[in-house]
Amino acid sequence: MQAEWNLLLKQLQKKDTFVFNAIKSFKLVKSGENQITVMFPSDSAKVEFDKVSREFFNHFKTKVHNFSIEIVYQRDVENLKIEVMTKRKIFEKFVQKNPLLKDLDDLMRFDLT
């Protein structure tokens, strides 16, 4: 299952980068003999996944010759959270390591937008 998932991600990376970026953090887990749990970080990412999920699961069911596989969706924000690093957040991390940067920012007034 993981090999097919990685293949889909590679294809999407070339074909549709927007969908790829939305679903690359999804985790697929075999939770039973005929059950796959899809863990997703947000509802908007799930909407993008729905665009390709039917084709992916039909291909997977055909490949393994098991058409009784059920798909269960589970929201998993804690483990799949990806933090977007802005220039301001990066600067604040550096300020924690070197507090003199804050004084330099006050003096120079960096544009961190």
Side-chain angles (χ1 to χ4, degrees):
M1 176 176 62
Q2 293 302 323
E4 292 298 317
W5 176 247
N6 291 333
L7 180 65
L8 172 73
L9 289 177
K10 279 185 181 180
Q11 291 170 351
L12 284 175
Q13 190 173 14
K14 294 176 185 171
K15 187 173 76 172
D16 192 350
T17 56
F18 184 75
V19 175
F20 168 76
N21 287 326
I23 69 170
K24 68 182 177 183
S25 63
F26 279 41
K27 301 288 183 211
L28 275 65
V29 179
K30 182 179 177 185
S31 52
E33 187 61 34
N34 291 323
Q35 188 175 31
I36 296 174
T37 302
V38 178
M39 293 184 279
F40 61 96
S42 68
D43 292 329
S44 60
K46 185 180 179 304
V47 168
E48 295 301 320
F49 179 68
D50 289 340
K51 294 178 181 178
V52 295
S53 64
R54 173 172 279 150
E55 181 182 338
F56 171 71
F57 287 121
N58 283 341
H59 168 74
F60 181 72
K61 288 176 184 180
T62 302
K63 185 161 184 142
V64 296
H65 304 294
N66 186 352
F67 294 96
S68 62
I69 294 175
E70 295 178 20
I71 311 303
V72 177
Y73 293 96
Q74 176 182 346
R75 189 164 184 183
D76 191 9
V77 179
E78 295 301 318
N79 294 331
L80 300 174
K81 182 179 178 184
I82 297 176
E83 182 179 356
V84 176
M85 294 300 290
T86 62
K87 290 180 183 180
R88 172 60 64 187
K89 286 183 181 181
I90 293 170
F91 180 76
E92 288 171 358
K93 282 190 172 191
F94 282 122
V95 166
Q96 289 175 354
K97 293 180 182 179
N98 188 350
L100 292 176
L101 287 175
K102 180 67 176 151
D103 295 335
L104 186 61
D105 181 40
D106 292 340
L107 180 66
M108 303 293 287
R109 295 192 179 126
F110 297 132
D111 181 20
L112 300 172
T113 56

